[in-house]
Amino acid sequence: MSADVSAPAAVPARAAGTVATLRRQVSDLHAELVRYQLVAWTAGNVSARVPGEDLMVIKPSGVSYDDLTPESMIVTDLHGRVVEGDLSPSSDTAAHAYVYRHMPEVGGVVHTHSTYAAAWAARAEPVPCVLTAMADEFGGDIPVGPFALIGDDPIGRGIVDTLTGHRSPAVLMQNHGVFSIGADARAAVKAAVMCEDVARTVHLARVLGPTVPIDPADIDRLYARYQNVYGQPAGSHEEDHA
Ligand SMILES: [Zn+2]
């Protein structure tokens, strides 16, 4: 953490084009949260790191998804201090910023309270890896992170501590909801969509009876195949699951 307590005065000129592109991407990706029914009211947010800068682009707080525009997105530094924007950033900004500070490989972060995933979080129960699509995407169970109150570093620390060294790009924060990460914001949104999808399917399976585990060696094979065969640069293709 820097000793400098003042936020940068402005987005550097060298990053202006990138920030403009990310404002549009992050704004558009919020529509995906609505389309996949991951959010109610304003409770979900997407952010993107500005590559090469200590900056990120994130949703403003309390604005209806229908009213989000590229111009209304907020640029903050990686301590959550506003650098560009007229509104307050999302109330989850501190958690996003903490993840970017501590996980340099992460370029996008998403937070939702999507229904089925949050139901697993309410029980503090990992979603067990009982579907091949889960092995592909998550490489195992979707883990549970600690209970933490909003608005300070504990949420960010819980995300980082849980996902560091873990294959899963999503964590169920206990009693709360999902945080997902990706190489870029779109990948993080995909992880949030897939997390809710498998949380729903495994929930339904559980209602009807016991689930059948997948041999860990097969999980490893599925994960390696999916990540290697389909692990192309983000946005270059659409992945097929085994
Ligand atoms: Zn939340």
Side-chain angles (χ1 to χ4, degrees):
M1 186 177 290
S2 168
D4 178 12
V5 295
S6 62
V11 172
R14 63 177 178 270
T18 304
V19 166
T21 301
L22 290 173
R23 281 177 170 277
R24 156 101 26 215
Q25 283 178 4
V26 171
S27 178
D28 288 350
L29 284 167
H30 283 91
E32 299 293 293
L33 303 187
V34 176
R35 185 154 77 99
Y36 287 98
Q37 299 185 295
L38 303 186
V39 290
W41 201 237
T42 64
N45 39 74
V46 179
S47 71
R49 182 198 294 276
V50 181
E53 309 290 340
D54 288 333
L55 297 172
M56 65 183 199
V57 176
I58 192 165
K59 176 182 171 290
S61 179
V63 177
S64 165
Y65 292 104
D66 287 344
D67 296 333
L68 293 178
T69 61
E71 296 72 31
S72 64
M73 296 299 115
I74 310 298
V75 180
T76 75
D77 70 6
L78 298 188
H79 293 276
R81 296 172 296 202
V82 175
V83 174
E84 198 175 80
D86 299 325
L87 302 167
S88 299
S90 162
S91 53
D92 295 300
T93 297
H96 290 245
Y98 189 97
V99 172
Y100 291 126
R101 290 205 309 278
H102 292 86
M103 302 182 87
E105 71 280 17
V106 171
V109 177
V110 172
H111 175 49
T112 82
H113 300 159
S114 65
T115 305
Y116 286 90
W120 289 87
R123 299 194 306 274
E125 184 177 359
V127 183
C129 185
V130 292
L131 298 165
T132 57
M134 271 191 83
D136 288 348
E137 191 73 35
F138 299 94
D141 298 354
I142 300 176
V144 174
F147 178 82
L149 294 176
I150 193 170
D152 209 345
D153 280 353
I155 291 184
R157 193 178 306 124
I159 299 164
V160 170
D161 288 352
T162 307
L163 293 184
T164 298
H166 203 293
R167 290 171 175 172
S168 174
V171 53
L172 309 173
M173 293 299 284
Q174 182 185 319
N175 302 110
H176 185 174
V178 179
F179 279 86
S180 62
I181 59 175
D184 58 23
R186 187 172 181 279
V189 170
K190 180 191 174 194
V193 171
M194 298 304 296
C195 177
E196 177 64 4
D197 187 55
V198 299
R200 181 178 55 195
T201 305
V202 178
H203 167 86
L204 293 172
R206 275 280 194 83
V207 169
L208 295 170
T211 53
V212 179
I214 301 174
D215 186 312
D218 287 328
I219 292 175
D220 289 348
R221 281 188 208 104
L222 286 162
Y223 182 74
R225 172 193 162 278
Y226 185 74
Q227 300 297 323
N228 293 331
V229 175
Y230 294 108
Q232 303 300 319
S236 65
H237 69 298
E238 291 302 320
E239 300 87 342
D240 296 318
H241 283 279

